[in-house]
Amino acid sequence: MRQLILSSVVLMAASQSAFADAEYIDRARVLSVAPQVQQINQPRQACHTEYVRESVYESNRSNAGAIVGGVAGGLLGSTIGRGNGRIAAAAVGAGVGAIVGDRVGNQNAYGNERIVTRPVEQCVMVDQWQTVTTGYMVNYEYQGRQYSTMMDRDPGPVLDVAVSVRPNVVQIQPMPAPVYRPAAMRGHGARQHRQYW
């Protein structure tokens, strides 16, 4: 009996290793492919040049009258004054002569106003929406059953699938070996029952 149990356990272990999980690659038929898209915004800076018109005022004033008037007033003041007053009279004459000479020299001077155009660069941030493909929803058929998966590319008309094979049986745990206990031993003296196990 013990040999029968031991041999059945060995046969079960051998059959389990023979039917161990196996995996292989096969091909499935692709039914449909749907790109998954998303709208994303990548703002960018847009610049353009504008031309601005400005008025510029240019004066026709000259300093020649002030210089000539200052020299003439200084000479005239030095001839009028005597002693230490001569220097003071020359300084006052030069100041008054410069003012009078400037007014006389620029009494008919008018400023000219002219319009100029200058370029100005204007920059603004503008939205730039783009449609980006994030993946592909693939529906496929294998052995008469339909499946779906998300992929990073379009697989085409066929799709490689990994197939795993394993037995569809309930795995049986080996039975524990029976425990044998010796019968009670009889001695020659007083009757005693002894258990050894």
Side-chain angles (χ1 to χ4, degrees), residues 94-137:
V96 172
I99 293 171
V100 172
D102 181 56
R103 293 223 175 132
V104 171
N106 290 314
Q107 67 182 348
N108 293 328
Y110 296 105
N112 290 337
E113 181 180 1
R114 67 184 179 109
I115 297 177
V116 296
T117 305
R118 67 180 179 89
V120 176
E121 188 177 38
Q122 301 285 342
C123 294
V124 292
M125 294 299 289
V126 294
D127 289 337
Q128 186 175 4
W129 290 94
Q130 295 179 347
T131 302
V132 177
T133 302
T134 58
Y136 296 87
M137 179 59 71

Side-chain angles (χ1 to χ4, degrees), residues 175-191:
M175 292 177 48
V179 177
Y180 295 101
R181 296 179 186 255
M185 298 186 72
R186 294 185 183 171
H188 291 290
R191 292 187 166 212

Side-chain angles (χ1 to χ4, degrees), residues 39-59:
Q39 293 282 333
I40 61 169
N41 185 16
Q42 294 179 333
R44 63 177 179 83
Q45 189 178 37
C47 297
H48 64 281
T49 302
E50 291 182 356
Y51 291 92
V52 178
R53 295 178 54 144
E54 292 181 338
S55 297
V56 178
Y57 183 78
E58 294 177 346
S59 175

Side-chain angles (χ1 to χ4, degrees), residues 4-175:
L4 179 64
I5 292 173
L6 186 60
S7 62
S8 65
V9 169
V10 170
L11 283 173
M12 269 187 9
S15 66
Q16 288 296 325
S17 64
F19 292 110
D21 290 350
E23 188 172 298
Y24 65 93
I25 303 298
D26 202 358
R27 295 196 142 199
R29 184 171 63 96
V30 174
L31 301 174
S32 66
V33 177
Q36 305 298 302
V37 296
Q38 182 180 2
Q39 293 282 333
I40 61 169
N41 185 16
Q42 294 179 333
R44 63 177 179 83
Q45 189 178 37
C47 297
H48 64 281
T49 302
E50 291 182 356
Y51 291 92
V52 178
R53 295 178 54 144
E54 292 181 338
S55 297
V56 178
Y57 183 78
E58 294 177 346
S59 175
N60 290 335
R61 295 180 63 85
S62 171
N63 292 332
I67 294 171
V68 171
V71 171
L75 290 175
L76 184 62
S78 67
T79 57
I80 294 175
R82 294 200 170 106
N84 289 336
R86 182 181 272 191
I87 295 173
V92 170
V96 172
I99 293 171
V100 172
D102 181 56
R103 293 223 175 132
V104 171
N106 290 314
Q107 67 182 348
N108 293 328
Y110 296 105
N112 290 337
E113 181 180 1
R114 67 184 179 109
I115 297 177
V116 296
T117 305
R118 67 180 179 89
V120 176
E121 188 177 38
Q122 301 285 342
C123 294
V124 292
M125 294 299 289
V126 294
D127 289 337
Q128 186 175 4
W129 290 94
Q130 295 179 347
T131 302
V132 177
T133 302
T134 58
Y136 296 87
M137 179 59 71
V138 179
N139 296 315
Y140 62 97
E141 181 182 33
Y142 181 74
Q143 298 289 328
R145 299 179 93 181
Q146 292 186 5
Y147 304 92
S148 295
T149 187
M150 190 75 163
M151 298 183 70
D152 61 346
R153 60 182 175 78
D154 185 342
V158 292
L159 173 67
D160 288 342
V161 291
V163 180
S164 179
V165 178
R166 64 182 185 336
N168 190 17
V169 295
V170 177
Q171 294 186 355
I172 302 172
Q173 297 295 325
M175 292 177 48

